[in-house]
Amino acid sequence: MYEECVRITLINTVEEHEMLRMTKEELKKEIVNQVKYRFRKNIKDASKQEIYQGICYALKETIVDDWMETQNRYIEEHAKTVYYLSMEFLMGRALGNNLINLAAYEEVAELIEEFGVGDIYEIEDQEPDAALGNGGLGRLAACFMDSLATLGYPAYGCGIRYRYGMFQQKIEDGYQKEMPDNWLVHGNPFEIERPEYAVEIKFGGRIDTTYDDEGRMNFTHYDYDSILAVPYDMPVTGYKNGIVNSLRIWDARPVKSFDLDSFDRGNYAQAREWKNNARSIVEVLYPNDNHYTGKVLRLKQQYFFVSASIQTAVNKYMYLQPHDHIFGLADKVCFQLNDTHPTVAVGELMRILLDEYQLEWDQAWEITTKCCAYTNHTIMAEALEKWPIEMFSSLLPRVYQIIEEIHHRFSLEIQKTFGDDKEKFEKMSILYDGQVHMARLAIAGCFSVNGVARLHSEILKNQELKEFYQMMPEKFNNKTNGITQRRFLVHGNPGLSKWITAQIGDSYITKLSDLEKLEPAVKNKKKVSEFAKIKKANKERLAAYVMEHNGIKLNTESMFDCQVKRLHEYKRQMLNVLHVISLYQEMKQNPSKSYTPRTVIFGAKSAPGYERAKLIIKLINNVASVVNEDAALKDQLKIVFIEDYKVSNAELIFAAADLSEQISTASKEASGTGNMKFMLNGALTIGTMDGANVEIVEEVGADNAFIFGLSSDEVIAYEQNGGYDARRIYNENQKLRAAVDALIDGTFIKEGEDPSLFRNLYNALLEPQDGNYADTYFVLKDFESYCEAQKAAADLYEKKEEWNEKALLNVCKAGKFSSDRTIEEYANEIWNLKRITR
């Protein structure tokens, strides 16, 4: 079953590898043939979508050859493989990325011009930008997959093939509307369905326990519902090295595709129920879980892809080994849990080892705890998932039995370490207060627990997971996140990438730290001027996008002040919009005064059930309507909300940004990766000392960023000791009070809207919420400091040469923040992987 293909001779070095395996003319002929045989059309009659498909299928011919050879090489080397388990993979469009990694971008661009069907950007726009992730978590997973392939590490990304992604965001009358993201409407040319690897996933039912002649317990699952997990493999190409790894995303299908008996009896709804039950698992990312049914569906999704991935990984290991036992699994397989969503992997691997391979508990636990590693991405309570025991045990009865035993044994370990300390038991117990605490299960069952920025890892060790760290310090480590420069510089900012290559060569594409060679250019006026012209061109490119999609004309001489990220209160889009309101009020009060022209750009999606976050989106759009229509401002202030924020328009924003808003409440942002993308593209950071901002400031220097606000220690002290009085701050600061009052005085209420529309946001800042103090994320506390930082940024922006020097220095100092560096650390310090070359 796992015999992938016939072995063929491999090319030994990257230099000898002919990336495309065909000449330009051969590629042209292949594209013409693909269009002809797939659509019965000549190139001149084909649509841009059909030409896009033809190019993808032509490239796939050469990618598949590399893909097969890569997998053969892994088999020959008996290579250990990491399975990166993630609910999200926000990959971005595949065509451009594959063209860059195959060194074929320029050739294909020329062919498209020869075909006379527009340019390569128009063809790239034919590819849906699937929302198979919500933000940084999914994009990090995508960056990691790119780096794993580029560095030659054996890896599978494992997730779900969501039919409609998260959602397509539409802004209607300022409100977010969630629409299905039908990214598969034209198919997905790069993917390959692998029905031969389909596995059965079981939900519900009951467990019967029997004993064999030797007194061993055997567990049999009865009366369960079955779903068939069918994998689709997407190639993930490495940069110019012939390595192709796999992103394996799972589709759900009924075990029996159609209930003919029910149909023949006229029960048509029941006949289709099998299909509908299966499809619901893979319809959307993060179904609304503010009701019981949504919670059940989320847990189903998690178990579905985790079980399918672990079953196939174990099957593959057993097929490839010269022996017939499972004991060496940890030597060849590592499961990396990307946040708490895949934590059920601990229980599922134990189930497989105990029930299918008949191991004793201690044997199974030793293997499991050597195979599983956990990345914590947040200290936010909502993301440290907890499931009601009643729900969990009903849906996954056998896995729950195993977790009960893990809980029992782990409780004894807690007692051995801390005695009868009830408080510590409450903080560490896997089963507590009627819930299964998944993060605690992950820590107990994994050999590694890592944070994703140095500050975040220290907070985990000293605050949030302090007791676990005291008990098992050897598990804890830090792996500061990173981004792939191939996507966010070479593809997203080709003008800057080509200019850098002209200055220092192209080694930075695989060794980002080589950007430090560019530093002498910072004091070269001619070079800084060239850099500034590239930034201006990128701002004009984004301005054209905004005009097309928003109908707003931007002043490209203005400061592009950008905050693009998931909408959450701790990320403090509210702080940003309050500053905008305050600035607008100041401009109205001083009509003859000149201000630094500023374009404030937002991009964000809110979770469908997060009503306050959705109201913040409405507020931003209402403020934008008032400000943008006020001719008295003389083009000195504009506000833009980018609809349906995703990887493709993010690339435009990163390249064009002057100021990078990284303003989360200190201690709440685990790392952030948007901060790194902005930095790499020459934006200055305005931010708190939170997440990876701390390390960015260390690299570039505090004089080249705008830092404000409470420290993480100060925030934690308020949270633990109390004493924060938002109302007092509001009363004592007239400027702040005027901005906050504008939420309820009708200034930003449109005709026909409820005058109290934004009262909820006002109350959240000034009234205690759900047993917590008012202004949970310290927006009012940091407002004055934030305004001062914004004033410093505006003043510096008027000194264009100095600003541009600092912007270029940010590029030079971005070398640490490559996902290549992060993956090397994971591979060497956690996964123990060996690089494979071709």
Side-chain angles (χ1 to χ4, degrees), residues 132 154 173 301 345 478 506 565 755:
L132 304 188
D173 194 26
Q301 286 184 328
N478 175 62
D506 66 358
K565 53 182 73 238

Side-chain angles (χ1 to χ4, degrees), residues 450-453 457 477-481 821-822 825-826 829-830:
N450 74 276
V452 291
S457 296
N477 61 94
N478 175 62
K479 300 290 174 282
T480 297
N481 283 343
R821 185 265 314 154
T822 313
E825 292 177 2
Y826 273 98
E829 299 169 20
I830 298 178

